[in-house]
Structures are given as structure tokens and as C-alpha cells.
């Protein structure tokens, strides 16, 4: 490639669209603290996801951390290590103990058949991840949670705009968190939102995201500051207008990648079910098995770099291998997560990626056969 191609590139609206909101900000001098633009974004988001209780926050991580705090949990949380640092950190920063469950090879989400064996008297919640926007087995997770009286809080950072059998993915579990970080398929510069299904919990989250302040003289909770500002909300409103158009652009790339990279010995793709699931097509991971392909994942990664293609090892290493977690005692053996993390390479995927560039990336990989 002549130019560097990164795994993603933030989506921006036309400058004029954003400037309209900037004018409003300059007129009102309202920069943050649940301003008018943030309220409008809040409304549009709830309408879009068809949920009653949601809250925009300054980033996805704080949304997850504070949602977990809002539930007032203690004890062990069953989750997966095949994810971004945020998921495990949000659990541990709430003084909860992560218990790692393995994932399924077909889609890298939590293997629901292995959850029950990890449940103890101390288990309080399950935090599954819709990783790459692959929906977890929401039905099985729900029935396990019901049986054992556990909360289910989805890390849906990758899954904005998706639905399962026509039902928005935000509807599942007790809560879900979405990320609107610049690198995600829908951004508000930094940002995120939490979806809950209970008005008391929403109120608690609302208080927690603004220092636990109740009114001018009363502070009832040890909250944080996770408010979304007006500039973020404005970007979110602009980008939301273009979300579907950008989703379809990514689908074209997805279809091409899938067609060109299927059926290669030693390269595996995830199992997609487009009849049941509306995907947002925000990632395209491939899994390289060095016993069957001519080289391993790391060699393919290095080779692509020499061609200016910056693919990424999402997610390697798994979070349970992080230095900060090497001394903590956690339970759960995750051989599949480990194997997938050693094989994965996420290819460039974003709305403005030129289809011919995607084709050229596939050809580089095919040439290695
Ligand atoms: C991006 C991401 C987050 C955190 O979201 P931010 O908006 O970056 O704080 C959490 N979980 C996963 C799986 C993510 O990819």
C-alpha cells in the first residue's frame, strides 16, 4: 500500500453539520452538565435503541464501571478474558473478583455451557462480552442467571445498533454498556452509554456519574465524574444520522473479506448468522493456525506491516495474562480463549476504507498460501 492503512479510522460527519452545533454551544455557553445537546442525544439514543432507561456517559469504560457500582454487588463475577482491558478492570475496580469462563470457537463469546460449573455461593453477576459485535447466547445466559439469581451486565461496547431476531441488543440482560470511542463504529469522540431496565437503577447511575450529588447540599454516594459534554453529544448526534449508511458501507467490505478469505487452509473466520442477527460489521477478525497455514499469526502481522497494513492482534494477550493480574487468584481455565488470542488478527475495517484496498489486503494474505 502506498499509504498506511490502520485497523480503523474514526468516522467524521461533514464539518458543516458539526459547526451547526458549535454555534449553539457558543450562543449558550453551555459546555457540559447534562446540557441541551446532551439531552437531545439522550433522547435520540433511547429512540434508536428502543429503550426506556439509558444514560450517555463520558466513555464506555466509566459506563461499565458505574453500572456495576449501581447494582451494589459483592463477591465473584463470571466473565471472559478475551476482551479489551476495560471489561476486567471495571470488575476489579469495583472490588469484585473476576472468574474467567472460556469462550466458544465459533464466535469468541462466553461459552454458556461452562458458566454453571463456575458458580459458587459468592457469585453475584455475569459480565459477558458481545465481542466483535457477535451476540452472546443471550437466552441461555438469561436462564442460568434466573436459576441462580445472578445479575447479567453485558459489555456491549462493540454491539451498538445490532439486533437479535429484530430485537435491539440493548434489550437483553439487566444492563448493557456501549462504547462510542473514536475507534468504534459509532463515535461521540469519546463516549458511551449505559442501558438499564429499571428506573431506580437509572437514578442511581445518574447520581453516580455526577459525584453522587443529590442537590446543592447533599451528597449521598461515592460517585465519579463521568458526564458527557456538549461537544461529544454533538458529534454523537451528527454521526448517528449517518450510522446506517456507514453500516452498509462496512457490510460491503465484510462481504468482500468473507468471500475472498473463506475456504483457505489454516485461516478460519467466525460463524455469522445474518438471518437472525443484524450486525454492525465493525470488526473483521481472522484466525491463523500455523499448523495448517504457511506461517503463524505473528509472521502474517509482521508481513502486513511491511506492506503498510496495520492489522491488530485484537485480543492478545487475554486479560488474565496482564501483568497487573498475574498475582491475583482467579478461577477458571480458558484454553480456547488462549488459543484464539494467539491466532487472531483483526483486519482494517471502517466505513471509508476503499473496497479496492480491502481487496488488495486479501490478495496479500492469499499470496502467502
Ligand atoms: C472500547 C471498549 C471498552 C471501553 O470503552 P471506552 O469507550 O473506550 O472507554 C470496553 N469494552 C470493550 C470490549 C471495548 O472494546
Amino acid at each position: 500500500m502506498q499509504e498506511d492503512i490502520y485497523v480503523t479510522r474514526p468516522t467524521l460527519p461533514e464539518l458543516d453539520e458539526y459547526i451547526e452545533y458549535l454555534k449553539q454551544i457558543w450562543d449558550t455557553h453551555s459546555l457540559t452538565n447534562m446540557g441541551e445537546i446532551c439531552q437531545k442525544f439522550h433522547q435520540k439514543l433511547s429512540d434508536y435503541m428502543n429503550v426506556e432507561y439509558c444514560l450517555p456517559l463520558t466513555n464506555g469504560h466509566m459506563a461499565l464501571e458505574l453500572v456495576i457500582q449501581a447494582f451494589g454487588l459483592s463477591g465473584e463475577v463470571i466473565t471472559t478474558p478475551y476482551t479489551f482491558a476495560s471489561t476486567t478492570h471495571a470488575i476489579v475496580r469495583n472490588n469484585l473478583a473476576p472468574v474467567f469462563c472460556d469462550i466458544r470457537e465459533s464466535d469468541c463469546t462466553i461459552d454458556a455451557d461452562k458458566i454453571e460449573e463456575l458458580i459458587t455461593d459468592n457469585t453475584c453477576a455475569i459480565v459477558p462480552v458481545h465481542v466483535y459485535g457477535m451476540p452472546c447466547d443471550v437466552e441461555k445466559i438469561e436462564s442460568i442467571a434466573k436459576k441462580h439469581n445472578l445479575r447479567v451486565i453485558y459489555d456491549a461496547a462493540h454491539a451498538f445498533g445490532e439486533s437479535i431476531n429484530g430485537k435491539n441488543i440493548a434489550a437483553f440482560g439487566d444492563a448493557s454498556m456501549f462504547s462510542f470511542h473514536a475507534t468504534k463504529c459509532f463515535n461521540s469522540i469519546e463516549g458511551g452509554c449505559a442501558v438499564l431496565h429499571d428506573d431506580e437503577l437509572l437514578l442511581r447511575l445518574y447520581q453516580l456519574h455526577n459525584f453522587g450529588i443529590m442537590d446543592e447540599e447533599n451528597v449521598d454516594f461515592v460517585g465519579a465524574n463521568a458526564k458527557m459534554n456538549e461537544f461529544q453529544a454533538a458529534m454523537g448526534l451528527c454521526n448517528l444520522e449517518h450510522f446506517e449508511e456507514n453500516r452498509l458501507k462496512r457490510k460491503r467490505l465484510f462481504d468482500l473479506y468473507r468471500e475472498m478469505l473463506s475456504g483457505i487452509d489454516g485461516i478460519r473466520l467466525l460463524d455469522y448468522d445474518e438471518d437472525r442477527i443484524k450486525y454492525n460489521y465493525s470488526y473483521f477478525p481472522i484466525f491463523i493456525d500455523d499448523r495448517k497455514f504457511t506461517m503463524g499469526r505473528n509472521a502474517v502481522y509482521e508481513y502486513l506491516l511491511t506492506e503498510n497494513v496495520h492489522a491488530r492482534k485484537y485480543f492478545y494477550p487475554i486479560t488474565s495474562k496482564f501483568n497487573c493480574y498475574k498475582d491475583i487468584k482467579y478461577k477458571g481455565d480458558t484454553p480456547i480463549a488462549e488459543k484464539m488470542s494467539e491466532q487472531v488478527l483483526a483486519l482494517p475495517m471502517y466505513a471509508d476504507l476503499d473496497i479496492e484496498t480491502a481487496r488488495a489486503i486479501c490478495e496479500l494474505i492469499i499470496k502467502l498460501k
Side-chain angles (χ1 to χ4, degrees):
M1 303 306 143
Q2 244 148 22
E3 272 173 51
D4 284 309
I5 305 293
Y6 295 94
V7 74
T8 188
R9 187 163 185 247
T11 312
L12 286 170
E14 292 298 325
L15 184 56
D16 288 346
E17 297 169 33
Y18 195 60
I19 286 175
E20 278 308 305
Y21 286 107
L22 293 184
K23 284 183 185 150
Q24 184 179 336
I25 294 172
W26 258 253
D27 282 346
T28 60
H29 284 241
S30 165
L31 307 186
T32 185
N33 284 48
M34 294 71 91
E36 254 177 55
I37 301 175
C38 191
Q39 287 174 35
K40 185 171 168 195
F41 184 45
H42 186 171
Q43 190 57 51
K44 290 256 174 173
L45 272 179
S46 333
D47 293 348
Y48 183 78
M49 293 188 287
N50 193 24
V51 293
E52 213 167 333
Y53 307 115
C54 88
L55 185 69
L57 294 113
T58 193
N59 60 53
H61 177 78
M62 286 310 293
L64 186 57
E65 207 172 296
L66 294 179
V67 159
I68 295 173
Q69 190 183 348
F71 280 91
L73 304 169
S74 64
E76 295 170 5
V77 174
I78 296 172
T79 186
T80 54
Y82 190 85
T83 180
F84 184 54
S86 172
T87 320
T88 310
H89 285 356
I91 294 166
V92 174
R93 287 168 60 84
N94 270 292
N95 293 317
L96 296 161
V99 174
F100 294 112
C101 183
D102 212 352
I103 59 173
R104 303 191 286 200
E105 270 201 82
S106 57
D107 63 4
C108 294
T109 67
I110 193 164
D111 186 342
D113 292 330
K114 295 185 181 150
I115 293 177
E116 279 194 293
E117 64 201 57
L118 296 170
I119 295 176
T120 70
D121 289 345
N122 292 325
T123 309
C124 58
I126 310 172
V127 176
V129 185
H130 299 306
V131 67
Y132 308 126
M134 305 300 281
C136 297
D137 187 341
V138 291
E139 282 113 34
K140 199 170 279 170
I141 293 169
E142 185 179 334
S143 77
I144 294 168
K146 266 216 179 98
K147 184 169 151 201
H148 298 274
N149 191 27
L150 306 174
R151 303 280 78 77
V152 179
I153 302 166
Y154 282 106
D155 180 334
H158 299 173
F160 182 74
E162 298 194 325
S163 51
I164 306 175
N165 284 326
K167 192 165 162 183
N168 194 286
I169 201 158
F172 298 92
D174 294 288
S176 293
M177 170 282 282
F178 297 88
S179 166
F180 308 150
H181 184 261
T183 56
K184 302 298 205 279
C185 67
F186 166 63
N187 84 76
S188 60
I189 309 176
E190 292 248 14
C193 93
V195 173
L196 296 149
H197 306 290
D198 177 306
D199 55 353
E200 274 176 41
L201 278 169
L202 181 78
L203 180 63
R204 176 64 52 88
L205 178 68
Y206 186 86
Q207 291 153 348
L208 288 174
H209 101 307
N210 188 29
F211 303 102
I213 292 173
M214 312 301 282
D215 58 41
E216 281 188 29
E217 300 186 2
N218 291 291
V219 179
D220 286 5
F221 304 104
V222 186
N225 177 8
K227 299 184 296 289
M228 174 173 275
N229 69 49
E230 295 288 89
F231 295 82
Q232 293 176 292
M235 185 64 86
L237 280 168
C238 292
N239 279 332
L240 193 56
E241 289 293 314
H242 300 285
F243 183 72
E244 184 58 20
E245 153 199 339
N246 286 328
R247 189 181 80 87
L248 294 175
K249 284 190 189 166
R250 288 189 301 272
K251 174 161 170 57
R252 281 186 70 211
L253 299 163
F254 169 87
D255 287 343
L256 178 92
Y257 274 144
R258 215 167 152 214
E259 188 191 313
M260 290 186 73
L261 299 174
S262 292
I264 299 176
D265 233 13
I267 293 189
R268 213 172 60 72
L269 310 181
L270 297 179
D271 292 349
Y272 299 91
D273 181 356
E274 293 184 277
D275 294 331
R276 202 170 69 88
I277 291 151
K278 179 183 168 199
Y279 294 104
N280 61 23
Y281 306 108
S282 45
Y283 297 89
F284 200 87
I286 64 171
F287 299 84
I288 302 162
D289 182 349
D290 64 357
R291 292 165 310 174
K292 295 190 195 139
F293 198 63
T294 45
M295 56 177 80
R297 184 273 310 271
N298 289 343
V300 177
Y301 168 84
E302 294 296 337
Y303 167 72
L304 289 177
L305 270 184
T306 65
E307 297 285 342
N308 297 333
V309 177
H310 302 248
R312 292 292 298 269
K313 301 173 195 177
Y314 288 155
F315 288 95
Y316 175 85
I318 53 175
T319 63
S320 49
K321 302 258 178 192
F322 287 177
N323 289 336
C324 56
Y325 294 133
K326 70 177 190 286
D327 295 330
I328 71 160
K329 295 261 177 290
Y330 54 83
K331 281 177 290 178
D333 212 12
T334 61
I336 309 266
E338 212 162 308
K339 184 182 85 174
M340 303 293 271
S341 80
E342 281 160 10
Q343 296 187 344
V344 71
L345 202 55
L347 301 181
M349 177 54 108
Y350 48 90
D352 296 332
L353 178 64
D354 181 52
I355 193 120
E356 290 313 317
T357 306
R359 190 188 305 281
I361 293 168
C362 292
E363 275 159 7
L364 288 172
I365 295 168
I366 291 166
K367 220 171 59 185
L368 301 173
K369 272 202 294 188

